[in-house]
Short mmCIF file of all heavy atoms in Angstrom, two decimals:
data_model
loop_
_atom_site.label_atom_id
_atom_site.label_comp_id
_atom_site.label_asym_id
_atom_site.label_seq_id
_atom_site.Cartn_x
_atom_site.Cartn_y
_atom_site.Cartn_z
N ASP A 664 8.93 -0.88 -2.49
CA ASP A 664 8.14 0.05 -3.27
C ASP A 664 9.03 1.15 -3.84
O ASP A 664 10.21 1.23 -3.53
CB ASP A 664 6.96 0.57 -2.46
CG ASP A 664 7.27 1.68 -1.47
OD1 ASP A 664 8.36 1.74 -0.91
OD2 ASP A 664 6.37 2.50 -1.28
N VAL A 665 8.47 2.01 -4.64
CA VAL A 665 9.25 3.02 -5.35
C VAL A 665 9.93 4.00 -4.39
O VAL A 665 11.11 4.32 -4.55
CB VAL A 665 8.35 3.78 -6.36
CG1 VAL A 665 9.11 4.93 -6.99
CG2 VAL A 665 7.82 2.84 -7.42
N ALA A 666 9.21 4.47 -3.40
CA ALA A 666 9.78 5.45 -2.47
C ALA A 666 11.01 4.87 -1.77
O ALA A 666 12.03 5.56 -1.66
CB ALA A 666 8.73 5.88 -1.45
N ARG A 667 10.93 3.64 -1.33
CA ARG A 667 12.07 3.00 -0.66
C ARG A 667 13.25 2.82 -1.62
O ARG A 667 14.40 2.99 -1.24
CB ARG A 667 11.66 1.68 -0.05
CG ARG A 667 10.84 1.83 1.21
CD ARG A 667 10.62 0.47 1.88
NE ARG A 667 9.91 0.63 3.13
CZ ARG A 667 8.59 0.49 3.27
NH1 ARG A 667 7.84 0.18 2.23
NH2 ARG A 667 8.02 0.65 4.44
N ALA A 668 12.94 2.48 -2.87
CA ALA A 668 14.01 2.30 -3.86
C ALA A 668 14.73 3.61 -4.13
O ALA A 668 15.96 3.63 -4.26
CB ALA A 668 13.43 1.73 -5.15
N LEU A 669 13.99 4.71 -4.21
CA LEU A 669 14.63 6.01 -4.44
C LEU A 669 15.61 6.33 -3.32
O LEU A 669 16.72 6.79 -3.57
CB LEU A 669 13.57 7.12 -4.51
CG LEU A 669 12.56 7.05 -5.66
CD1 LEU A 669 11.56 8.21 -5.54
CD2 LEU A 669 13.24 7.07 -6.99
N ALA A 670 15.19 6.08 -2.09
CA ALA A 670 16.06 6.36 -0.94
C ALA A 670 17.26 5.40 -0.91
O ALA A 670 18.39 5.83 -0.67
CB ALA A 670 15.26 6.26 0.35
N ALA A 671 17.02 4.14 -1.18
CA ALA A 671 18.09 3.14 -1.10
C ALA A 671 19.18 3.38 -2.14
O ALA A 671 20.35 3.11 -1.88
CB ALA A 671 17.50 1.74 -1.28
N HIS A 672 18.79 3.90 -3.30
CA HIS A 672 19.75 4.08 -4.38
C HIS A 672 20.27 5.51 -4.51
O HIS A 672 21.07 5.80 -5.39
CB HIS A 672 19.14 3.62 -5.71
CG HIS A 672 18.87 2.15 -5.71
ND1 HIS A 672 19.86 1.20 -5.85
CD2 HIS A 672 17.72 1.46 -5.57
CE1 HIS A 672 19.33 0.00 -5.79
NE2 HIS A 672 18.03 0.12 -5.62
N GLY A 673 19.83 6.40 -3.63
CA GLY A 673 20.33 7.77 -3.65
C GLY A 673 20.08 8.49 -4.97
O GLY A 673 20.98 9.16 -5.47
N VAL A 674 18.90 8.33 -5.52
CA VAL A 674 18.61 8.91 -6.83
C VAL A 674 18.75 10.44 -6.81
O VAL A 674 18.56 11.08 -5.78
CB VAL A 674 17.21 8.53 -7.34
CG1 VAL A 674 17.07 7.05 -7.52
CG2 VAL A 674 16.13 9.07 -6.44
N THR A 675 19.09 10.97 -7.98
CA THR A 675 19.22 12.42 -8.13
C THR A 675 18.12 13.00 -9.02
O THR A 675 17.95 14.20 -9.07
CB THR A 675 20.59 12.79 -8.73
OG1 THR A 675 20.73 12.15 -9.99
CG2 THR A 675 21.71 12.36 -7.79
N ALA A 676 17.37 12.13 -9.71
CA ALA A 676 16.31 12.60 -10.60
C ALA A 676 15.14 11.62 -10.60
O ALA A 676 15.34 10.41 -10.49
CB ALA A 676 16.82 12.77 -12.02
N VAL A 677 13.94 12.17 -10.71
CA VAL A 677 12.73 11.37 -10.81
C VAL A 677 11.93 11.90 -11.98
O VAL A 677 11.83 13.12 -12.18
CB VAL A 677 11.88 11.46 -9.52
CG1 VAL A 677 10.55 10.75 -9.68
CG2 VAL A 677 12.64 10.91 -8.34
N TRP A 678 11.36 10.98 -12.79
CA TRP A 678 10.57 11.38 -13.94
C TRP A 678 9.22 10.69 -13.89
O TRP A 678 9.12 9.53 -13.51
CB TRP A 678 11.28 10.99 -15.24
CG TRP A 678 10.43 11.28 -16.44
CD1 TRP A 678 10.31 12.47 -17.07
CD2 TRP A 678 9.58 10.38 -17.12
NE1 TRP A 678 9.42 12.36 -18.12
CE2 TRP A 678 8.95 11.07 -18.16
CE3 TRP A 678 9.26 9.04 -16.94
CZ2 TRP A 678 8.04 10.48 -19.03
CZ3 TRP A 678 8.35 8.45 -17.80
CH2 TRP A 678 7.76 9.18 -18.83
N GLY A 679 8.17 11.43 -14.28
CA GLY A 679 6.83 10.84 -14.36
C GLY A 679 5.80 11.93 -14.51
O GLY A 679 6.12 13.11 -14.65
N VAL A 680 4.53 11.52 -14.47
CA VAL A 680 3.46 12.53 -14.50
C VAL A 680 3.44 13.20 -13.12
O VAL A 680 3.78 12.57 -12.11
CB VAL A 680 2.09 11.92 -14.86
CG1 VAL A 680 2.08 11.40 -16.29
CG2 VAL A 680 1.68 10.85 -13.89
N PRO A 681 3.08 14.48 -13.06
CA PRO A 681 3.16 15.21 -11.80
C PRO A 681 2.43 14.55 -10.63
O PRO A 681 2.97 14.50 -9.52
CB PRO A 681 2.55 16.57 -12.13
CG PRO A 681 2.77 16.73 -13.59
CD PRO A 681 2.66 15.35 -14.16
N SER A 682 1.24 14.04 -10.86
CA SER A 682 0.48 13.44 -9.76
C SER A 682 1.18 12.21 -9.19
O SER A 682 1.17 11.98 -7.98
CB SER A 682 -0.94 13.10 -10.20
OG SER A 682 -0.93 12.19 -11.29
N TYR A 683 1.82 11.41 -10.05
CA TYR A 683 2.53 10.22 -9.60
C TYR A 683 3.80 10.61 -8.82
O TYR A 683 4.06 10.05 -7.75
CB TYR A 683 2.90 9.33 -10.78
CG TYR A 683 3.67 8.10 -10.36
CD1 TYR A 683 3.02 7.04 -9.74
CD2 TYR A 683 5.04 8.03 -10.56
CE1 TYR A 683 3.73 5.91 -9.34
CE2 TYR A 683 5.76 6.90 -10.17
CZ TYR A 683 5.09 5.85 -9.56
OH TYR A 683 5.80 4.76 -9.15
N VAL A 684 4.55 11.55 -9.34
CA VAL A 684 5.77 11.99 -8.66
C VAL A 684 5.42 12.54 -7.28
O VAL A 684 6.07 12.21 -6.28
CB VAL A 684 6.54 13.02 -9.50
CG1 VAL A 684 7.70 13.62 -8.71
CG2 VAL A 684 7.04 12.39 -10.79
N LEU A 685 4.36 13.34 -7.19
CA LEU A 685 3.94 13.89 -5.90
C LEU A 685 3.53 12.76 -4.95
O LEU A 685 3.89 12.79 -3.77
CB LEU A 685 2.79 14.88 -6.09
CG LEU A 685 2.32 15.59 -4.84
CD1 LEU A 685 3.44 16.38 -4.18
CD2 LEU A 685 1.14 16.51 -5.17
N MET A 686 2.81 11.77 -5.44
CA MET A 686 2.40 10.65 -4.61
C MET A 686 3.62 9.91 -4.06
O MET A 686 3.66 9.56 -2.88
CB MET A 686 1.51 9.69 -5.39
CG MET A 686 1.07 8.48 -4.58
SD MET A 686 0.35 7.17 -5.57
CE MET A 686 1.80 6.61 -6.47
N VAL A 687 4.61 9.68 -4.90
CA VAL A 687 5.83 8.98 -4.46
C VAL A 687 6.56 9.80 -3.40
O VAL A 687 7.00 9.25 -2.38
CB VAL A 687 6.75 8.67 -5.66
CG1 VAL A 687 8.11 8.18 -5.20
CG2 VAL A 687 6.09 7.65 -6.59
N LEU A 688 6.67 11.11 -3.61
CA LEU A 688 7.36 11.95 -2.63
C LEU A 688 6.60 11.98 -1.31
O LEU A 688 7.22 11.90 -0.23
CB LEU A 688 7.52 13.37 -3.18
CG LEU A 688 8.41 13.52 -4.41
CD1 LEU A 688 8.42 14.97 -4.88
CD2 LEU A 688 9.82 13.00 -4.15
N ARG A 689 5.30 12.05 -1.36
CA ARG A 689 4.50 12.05 -0.12
C ARG A 689 4.59 10.70 0.58
O ARG A 689 4.62 10.65 1.82
CB ARG A 689 3.07 12.45 -0.42
CG ARG A 689 2.95 13.92 -0.74
CD ARG A 689 1.54 14.36 -0.99
NE ARG A 689 1.46 15.81 -1.13
CZ ARG A 689 0.42 16.44 -1.61
NH1 ARG A 689 -0.65 15.78 -2.00
NH2 ARG A 689 0.43 17.77 -1.70
N THR A 690 4.63 9.62 -0.18
CA THR A 690 4.80 8.30 0.42
C THR A 690 6.15 8.21 1.12
O THR A 690 6.24 7.68 2.23
CB THR A 690 4.67 7.20 -0.65
OG1 THR A 690 3.36 7.26 -1.23
CG2 THR A 690 4.91 5.82 -0.07
N ALA A 691 7.18 8.72 0.48
CA ALA A 691 8.51 8.73 1.10
C ALA A 691 8.48 9.48 2.43
O ALA A 691 9.05 9.03 3.42
CB ALA A 691 9.53 9.34 0.15
N ALA A 692 7.81 10.62 2.45
CA ALA A 692 7.70 11.40 3.69
C ALA A 692 6.93 10.61 4.75
O ALA A 692 7.34 10.58 5.92
CB ALA A 692 7.02 12.73 3.41
N ASP A 693 5.83 9.97 4.36
CA ASP A 693 5.05 9.18 5.31
C ASP A 693 5.87 8.04 5.90
O ASP A 693 5.64 7.65 7.05
CB ASP A 693 3.80 8.60 4.63
CG ASP A 693 2.77 9.67 4.28
OD1 ASP A 693 2.86 10.80 4.80
OD2 ASP A 693 1.86 9.36 3.48
N LEU A 694 6.80 7.51 5.13
CA LEU A 694 7.66 6.42 5.60
C LEU A 694 8.87 6.92 6.38
O LEU A 694 9.67 6.13 6.87
CB LEU A 694 8.14 5.59 4.40
CG LEU A 694 7.05 4.81 3.66
CD1 LEU A 694 7.62 4.22 2.37
CD2 LEU A 694 6.46 3.73 4.55
N GLY A 695 9.01 8.25 6.48
CA GLY A 695 10.14 8.81 7.21
C GLY A 695 11.45 8.74 6.45
O GLY A 695 12.52 8.81 7.06
N LEU A 696 11.38 8.62 5.12
CA LEU A 696 12.59 8.52 4.31
C LEU A 696 13.16 9.90 4.02
O LEU A 696 12.46 10.91 4.14
CB LEU A 696 12.27 7.81 2.99
CG LEU A 696 11.70 6.40 3.13
CD1 LEU A 696 11.27 5.87 1.76
CD2 LEU A 696 12.71 5.48 3.78
N ARG A 697 14.42 9.94 3.63
CA ARG A 697 15.10 11.17 3.23
C ARG A 697 15.66 10.97 1.83
O ARG A 697 16.13 9.88 1.49
CB ARG A 697 16.23 11.51 4.18
CG ARG A 697 15.83 11.65 5.64
CD ARG A 697 15.13 12.93 5.95
NE ARG A 697 16.08 14.04 5.84
CZ ARG A 697 15.73 15.30 5.74
NH1 ARG A 697 14.48 15.64 5.74
NH2 ARG A 697 16.63 16.24 5.65
N LEU A 698 15.61 12.02 1.01
CA LEU A 698 16.16 11.97 -0.35
C LEU A 698 17.07 13.18 -0.58
O LEU A 698 16.82 14.01 -1.44
CB LEU A 698 15.03 11.96 -1.39
CG LEU A 698 14.04 10.80 -1.31
CD1 LEU A 698 12.90 11.00 -2.28
CD2 LEU A 698 14.76 9.49 -1.59
N PRO A 699 18.14 13.29 0.18
CA PRO A 699 18.97 14.49 0.12
C PRO A 699 19.71 14.69 -1.21
O PRO A 699 20.12 15.80 -1.51
CB PRO A 699 19.96 14.30 1.27
CG PRO A 699 20.03 12.83 1.46
CD PRO A 699 18.65 12.32 1.15
N ARG A 700 19.86 13.64 -2.01
CA ARG A 700 20.57 13.77 -3.29
C ARG A 700 19.64 14.15 -4.44
O ARG A 700 20.11 14.46 -5.53
CB ARG A 700 21.30 12.47 -3.61
CG ARG A 700 22.38 12.17 -2.57
CD ARG A 700 23.20 10.97 -2.92
NE ARG A 700 23.91 11.23 -4.17
CZ ARG A 700 24.38 10.28 -4.96
NH1 ARG A 700 24.21 9.01 -4.64
NH2 ARG A 700 25.01 10.58 -6.07
N LEU A 701 18.33 14.12 -4.22
CA LEU A 701 17.37 14.41 -5.27
C LEU A 701 17.49 15.87 -5.72
O LEU A 701 17.42 16.78 -4.90
CB LEU A 701 15.94 14.14 -4.77
CG LEU A 701 14.82 14.32 -5.77
CD1 LEU A 701 14.97 13.38 -6.96
CD2 LEU A 701 13.48 14.11 -5.09
N ARG A 702 17.71 16.08 -6.99
CA ARG A 702 17.91 17.43 -7.53
C ARG A 702 16.96 17.79 -8.66
O ARG A 702 16.73 18.95 -8.92
CB ARG A 702 19.35 17.59 -8.05
CG ARG A 702 20.40 17.53 -6.98
CD ARG A 702 20.34 18.76 -6.07
NE ARG A 702 21.28 18.67 -4.98
CZ ARG A 702 20.97 18.28 -3.75
NH1 ARG A 702 19.74 17.94 -3.44
NH2 ARG A 702 21.89 18.23 -2.81
N HIS A 703 16.42 16.78 -9.36
CA HIS A 703 15.61 17.05 -10.54
C HIS A 703 14.30 16.28 -10.50
O HIS A 703 14.30 15.06 -10.32
CB HIS A 703 16.37 16.65 -11.81
CG HIS A 703 17.72 17.26 -11.89
ND1 HIS A 703 17.91 18.58 -12.25
CD2 HIS A 703 18.95 16.75 -11.64
CE1 HIS A 703 19.21 18.84 -12.23
NE2 HIS A 703 19.85 17.75 -11.85
N LEU A 704 13.20 17.00 -10.69
CA LEU A 704 11.89 16.39 -10.85
C LEU A 704 11.45 16.70 -12.28
O LEU A 704 11.18 17.86 -12.61
CB LEU A 704 10.89 16.95 -9.84
CG LEU A 704 11.27 16.79 -8.37
CD1 LEU A 704 10.27 17.50 -7.48
CD2 LEU A 704 11.37 15.33 -8.00
N LEU A 705 11.43 15.70 -13.12
CA LEU A 705 11.11 15.87 -14.53
C LEU A 705 9.70 15.34 -14.74
O LEU A 705 9.44 14.15 -14.52
CB LEU A 705 12.11 15.10 -15.39
CG LEU A 705 13.58 15.35 -15.02
CD1 LEU A 705 14.47 14.35 -15.69
CD2 LEU A 705 13.97 16.77 -15.38
N VAL A 706 8.79 16.21 -15.13
CA VAL A 706 7.39 15.82 -15.23
C VAL A 706 6.81 16.17 -16.59
O VAL A 706 7.20 17.16 -17.22
CB VAL A 706 6.54 16.45 -14.10
CG1 VAL A 706 7.00 15.94 -12.74
CG2 VAL A 706 6.60 17.96 -14.13
N SER A 707 5.88 15.34 -17.04
CA SER A 707 5.17 15.57 -18.29
C SER A 707 3.91 14.72 -18.28
O SER A 707 3.72 13.87 -17.41
CB SER A 707 6.05 15.21 -19.49
OG SER A 707 6.36 13.84 -19.47
N GLY A 708 3.04 14.96 -19.26
CA GLY A 708 1.86 14.12 -19.41
C GLY A 708 0.62 14.61 -18.71
O GLY A 708 -0.45 14.04 -18.88
N GLU A 709 0.74 15.64 -17.89
CA GLU A 709 -0.39 16.26 -17.20
C GLU A 709 -0.13 17.76 -17.13
O GLU A 709 1.02 18.20 -17.17
CB GLU A 709 -0.52 15.77 -15.75
CG GLU A 709 -1.02 14.40 -15.57
CD GLU A 709 -1.09 14.01 -14.09
OE1 GLU A 709 -0.58 14.73 -13.21
OE2 GLU A 709 -1.65 12.94 -13.84
N GLU A 710 -1.20 18.49 -16.98
CA GLU A 710 -1.07 19.93 -16.76
C GLU A 710 -0.36 20.15 -15.42
O GLU A 710 -0.58 19.41 -14.47
CB GLU A 710 -2.45 20.58 -16.72
CG GLU A 710 -2.41 22.07 -16.58
CD GLU A 710 -3.80 22.69 -16.60
OE1 GLU A 710 -4.76 21.98 -16.91
OE2 GLU A 710 -3.90 23.88 -16.29
N LEU A 711 0.49 21.16 -15.38
CA LEU A 711 1.19 21.48 -14.15
C LEU A 711 1.05 22.98 -13.85
O LEU A 711 1.87 23.79 -14.27
CB LEU A 711 2.68 21.10 -14.24
CG LEU A 711 3.48 21.32 -12.96
CD1 LEU A 711 2.98 20.43 -11.84
CD2 LEU A 711 4.95 21.08 -13.20
N PRO A 712 -0.01 23.34 -13.12
CA PRO A 712 -0.16 24.74 -12.74
C PRO A 712 0.91 25.14 -11.73
O PRO A 712 1.61 24.28 -11.17
CB PRO A 712 -1.56 24.79 -12.12
CG PRO A 712 -1.85 23.40 -11.69
CD PRO A 712 -1.07 22.49 -12.59
N ASP A 713 1.04 26.44 -11.49
CA ASP A 713 2.05 26.94 -10.55
C ASP A 713 1.91 26.28 -9.17
O ASP A 713 2.91 25.96 -8.53
CB ASP A 713 1.96 28.46 -10.42
CG ASP A 713 2.43 29.17 -11.67
OD1 ASP A 713 3.15 28.55 -12.49
OD2 ASP A 713 2.06 30.35 -11.86
N ALA A 714 0.68 26.08 -8.73
CA ALA A 714 0.46 25.46 -7.41
C ALA A 714 0.98 24.03 -7.40
O ALA A 714 1.52 23.56 -6.40
CB ALA A 714 -1.02 25.50 -7.04
N GLY A 715 0.81 23.32 -8.50
CA GLY A 715 1.31 21.95 -8.60
C GLY A 715 2.82 21.89 -8.55
O GLY A 715 3.42 21.03 -7.91
N ARG A 716 3.45 22.84 -9.23
CA ARG A 716 4.92 22.94 -9.19
C ARG A 716 5.38 23.22 -7.76
O ARG A 716 6.34 22.60 -7.27
CB ARG A 716 5.37 24.06 -10.13
CG ARG A 716 6.87 24.21 -10.25
CD ARG A 716 7.22 25.37 -11.18
NE ARG A 716 6.77 25.14 -12.54
CZ ARG A 716 7.50 24.58 -13.50
NH1 ARG A 716 8.73 24.18 -13.23
NH2 ARG A 716 7.02 24.42 -14.71
N ALA A 717 4.71 24.13 -7.08
CA ALA A 717 5.07 24.46 -5.70
C ALA A 717 4.88 23.25 -4.79
O ALA A 717 5.71 23.01 -3.90
CB ALA A 717 4.22 25.63 -5.20
N ASN A 718 3.83 22.47 -5.01
CA ASN A 718 3.61 21.25 -4.20
C ASN A 718 4.75 20.27 -4.37
O ASN A 718 5.19 19.64 -3.39
CB ASN A 718 2.29 20.58 -4.59
CG ASN A 718 1.08 21.35 -4.11
OD1 ASN A 718 1.15 22.15 -3.18
ND2 ASN A 718 -0.05 21.10 -4.75
N LEU A 719 5.24 20.11 -5.59
CA LEU A 719 6.36 19.20 -5.84
C LEU A 719 7.63 19.68 -5.14
O LEU A 719 8.33 18.89 -4.49
CB LEU A 719 6.61 19.06 -7.34
CG LEU A 719 5.58 18.24 -8.11
CD1 LEU A 719 5.78 18.43 -9.61
CD2 LEU A 719 5.67 16.77 -7.74
N VAL A 720 7.92 20.96 -5.24
CA VAL A 720 9.11 21.52 -4.60
C VAL A 720 9.03 21.36 -3.08
O VAL A 720 10.00 20.97 -2.43
CB VAL A 720 9.31 22.99 -5.00
CG1 VAL A 720 10.39 23.66 -4.16
CG2 VAL A 720 9.64 23.09 -6.49
N GLU A 721 7.86 21.64 -2.52
CA GLU A 721 7.67 21.53 -1.07
C GLU A 721 7.79 20.07 -0.61
O GLU A 721 8.39 19.79 0.44
CB GLU A 721 6.32 22.10 -0.67
CG GLU A 721 6.25 23.61 -0.78
CD GLU A 721 4.85 24.16 -0.59
OE1 GLU A 721 3.95 23.41 -0.14
OE2 GLU A 721 4.64 25.34 -0.90
N ALA A 722 7.22 19.15 -1.39
CA ALA A 722 7.31 17.73 -1.02
C ALA A 722 8.76 17.26 -1.05
O ALA A 722 9.18 16.50 -0.17
CB ALA A 722 6.44 16.90 -1.96
N ALA A 723 9.51 17.70 -2.04
CA ALA A 723 10.93 17.33 -2.11
C ALA A 723 11.70 17.95 -0.95
O ALA A 723 12.55 17.28 -0.33
CB ALA A 723 11.52 17.77 -3.44
N ALA A 724 11.42 19.19 -0.63
CA ALA A 724 12.11 19.87 0.47
C ALA A 724 11.87 19.15 1.80
O ALA A 724 12.76 19.07 2.65
CB ALA A 724 11.67 21.32 0.56
N ALA A 725 10.66 18.62 1.97
CA ALA A 725 10.35 17.90 3.20
C ALA A 725 11.19 16.63 3.35
O ALA A 725 11.32 16.10 4.46
CB ALA A 725 8.85 17.54 3.23
N LEU A 726 11.78 16.19 2.25
CA LEU A 726 12.63 15.00 2.27
C LEU A 726 14.11 15.35 2.29
O LEU A 726 14.97 14.50 2.14
CB LEU A 726 12.34 14.15 1.02
CG LEU A 726 10.91 13.65 0.91
CD1 LEU A 726 10.65 13.08 -0.46
CD2 LEU A 726 10.61 12.65 1.99
N GLY A 727 14.41 16.63 2.46
CA GLY A 727 15.79 17.08 2.52
C GLY A 727 16.40 17.36 1.17
O GLY A 727 17.62 17.46 1.03
N ALA A 728 15.56 17.49 0.13
CA ALA A 728 16.05 17.70 -1.23
C ALA A 728 15.87 19.14 -1.66
O ALA A 728 14.92 19.82 -1.25
CB ALA A 728 15.29 16.80 -2.19
N GLU A 729 16.79 19.60 -2.49
CA GLU A 729 16.68 20.91 -3.15
C GLU A 729 16.48 20.62 -4.63
O GLU A 729 17.41 20.72 -5.43
CB GLU A 729 17.94 21.73 -2.92
CG GLU A 729 18.14 22.12 -1.47
CD GLU A 729 19.38 22.97 -1.29
OE1 GLU A 729 19.80 23.66 -2.24
OE2 GLU A 729 19.93 22.93 -0.18
N ALA A 730 15.25 20.27 -4.98
CA ALA A 730 14.96 19.82 -6.34
C ALA A 730 14.35 20.93 -7.20
O ALA A 730 13.59 21.74 -6.71
CB ALA A 730 14.02 18.62 -6.31
N THR A 731 14.69 20.88 -8.46
CA THR A 731 14.15 21.78 -9.48
C THR A 731 13.14 20.99 -10.30
O THR A 731 13.39 19.84 -10.67
CB THR A 731 15.26 22.29 -10.42
OG1 THR A 731 16.21 22.99 -9.62
CG2 THR A 731 14.71 23.21 -11.47
N VAL A 732 11.99 21.61 -10.59
CA VAL A 732 10.97 20.97 -11.40
C VAL A 732 11.12 21.42 -12.84
O VAL A 732 11.22 22.61 -13.12
CB VAL A 732 9.55 21.32 -10.89
CG1 VAL A 732 8.49 20.71 -11.80
CG2 VAL A 732 9.37 20.89 -9.46
N ARG A 733 11.15 20.46 -13.75
CA ARG A 733 11.19 20.74 -15.18
C ARG A 733 10.02 20.04 -15.82
O ARG A 733 9.87 18.83 -15.67
CB ARG A 733 12.49 20.28 -15.79
CG ARG A 733 13.66 21.06 -15.23
CD ARG A 733 14.97 20.58 -15.74
NE ARG A 733 16.00 21.10 -14.88
CZ ARG A 733 16.92 21.96 -15.29
NH1 ARG A 733 16.96 22.37 -16.51
NH2 ARG A 733 17.84 22.39 -14.44
N ALA A 734 9.18 20.81 -16.49
CA ALA A 734 7.97 20.25 -17.10
C ALA A 734 8.05 20.39 -18.62
O ALA A 734 8.58 21.36 -19.14
CB ALA A 734 6.74 20.98 -16.57
N SER A 735 7.50 19.39 -19.30
CA SER A 735 7.41 19.47 -20.75
C SER A 735 6.04 19.04 -21.20
O SER A 735 5.29 18.45 -20.49
CB SER A 735 8.47 18.60 -21.42
OG SER A 735 8.25 17.24 -21.12
#
């Protein structure tokens, strides 16, 4: 699945709609995966309120990542 592929390939960036990216990050956490190389969360296609941005940052941090969210 996507979460396992991100961990296996040591990705540094993820792109998608915010709800999908959050779901993938939460799935990775549920599977006990780590994504320490993840640095960029690029999101578009949905509204992203401040709380949504914070949820993405927190979900990435739970995986050992220091990721920045960029929305367009």
